[in-house]
Amino acid sequence: DEDALMEIRDAKGNKVFKEVLRTNAFGVLSTTFTLATQVNMGTYNLELVAGDNRAGKSFTVSRYTLPKFKVGVELDRDFYLPAQQVKGTIRADYFFGKPVERGAVRVTFHDYQGQWVPSKVIEGEANAEGIFSFEHTLPSVLVGQPVEGGNALVLVEVEVTDGAAQTQTSNRQITVARQAFDVTLLPESGAMVPGVENRFFVAMSDPGGNPVAGRVSVNFGGLEGGLREIDVGATGLATISWTPPQGVPSMQALIAATAGDSTVE
């Protein structure tokens, strides 16, 4: 329930929009800005002022150019581990169905280090069907991102240029996982209750969110009788029961899970 001033300036700094708005009970406001038919192209800047607070955001205004052909990128995995090899296929086709024969292809891998930093460039030529295959071995060390749960990100930028010097691009973002899968242990009641039988849910999933089957061992605080082992099926879910002794309000549970050739602790 506060007034907020919104202003927009075009790429040359001209003020093209100004409006005083009122936030609702949730601090939300909205409005509409319509571009004129003749405008300055480039980066526009929006600024919002509410009390002593300021926030800004930029957006690009440019002419729309109908793409001449489409570029598709297919990868052999949904996610990767550090130092794994990425195998990909690029397919370029005109919208009327004909492939982009012998198009020039440029594939750039970017690592995220606060900003996208180019790390590898692969260049080549598509075949007569407009197809180009590539391989790249990921670095053994990448910077994990908190918003990705500690996983790292790699950007694949693809450019294809046909014989008429028309260029189209396509981007794919790759998740590089900390480990092959994650395992989680949750008490059914939300907290451990001493002196009574507790049920604990075990969940195993890969970085893509798919269930993982395997075997899990849980050591409840290293206490006598606190070791439990269970097989986790194709659903990636299982249940373990254990009665914590009286007088133990909290403890650490040591978890070790195995799936295929991978072990997570």
Side-chain angles (χ1 to χ4, degrees), residues 8 11 50 138 149 160 163 205 215:
I8 299 177
L138 294 169
V160 179
S205 60
R215 186 166 181 80

Side-chain angles (χ1 to χ4, degrees), residues 194-206:
V196 298
E197 185 178 70
N198 287 234
R199 288 206 309 169
F200 297 85
F201 299 119
V202 177
M204 294 174 61
S205 60
D206 65 25

Side-chain angles (χ1 to χ4, degrees), residues 48-112:
L48 188 69
V49 181
D52 296 330
N53 302 301
R54 290 176 177 266
K57 198 169 186 65
S58 62
F59 57 93
T60 301
V61 175
S62 62
R63 297 191 184 280
Y64 175 72
T65 303
L66 185 68
K68 304 299 182 183
F69 56 88
K70 58 183 177 180
V71 177
V73 182
E74 297 179 0
L75 302 176
D76 63 327
R77 296 172 182 263
D78 294 330
F79 67 92
Y80 297 85
L81 298 176
Q84 273 192 335
Q85 190 176 60
V86 178
K87 296 182 179 181
T89 302
I90 297 166
R91 183 182 299 273
D93 296 287
Y94 292 103
F95 287 103
F96 53 81
K98 182 181 177 181
V100 181
E101 298 183 28
R102 311 297 177 187
V105 180
R106 180 183 176 91
V107 183
T108 305
F109 283 81
H110 301 260
D111 300 339
Y112 191 76

Side-chain angles (χ1 to χ4, degrees), residues 192 196-198 200 220 223 225-226 228 240-245 251:
M192 186 185 69
V196 298
E197 185 178 70
N198 287 234
F200 297 85
F220 289 97
L223 300 175
R228 294 289 187 275
I240 292 177
S241 296
W242 181 62
T243 302
M251 67 178 62

Side-chain angles (χ1 to χ4, degrees), residues 122-197:
I122 302 171
E123 295 182 319
E125 184 180 88
N127 62 18
E129 285 74 41
I131 297 173
F132 178 80
S133 298
F134 63 90
E135 296 180 358
H136 170 59
T137 301
L138 294 169
S140 58
V141 178
L142 290 162
V143 180
Q145 305 302 314
V147 294
E148 296 293 328
N151 296 331
L153 298 175
V154 171
L155 178 68
V156 183
E157 183 181 42
V158 176
E159 293 182 0
V160 179
T161 304
D162 67 2
Q166 301 172 124
T167 299
Q168 297 297 326
T169 63
S170 181
N171 296 330
R172 280 288 299 271
Q173 193 166 280
I174 296 176
T175 297
V176 183
R178 301 177 293 113
Q179 51 198 19
F181 62 92
D182 292 312
V183 58
T184 304
L185 181 71
L186 296 172
E188 180 182 26
S189 63
M192 186 185 69
V193 182
V196 298
E197 185 178 70

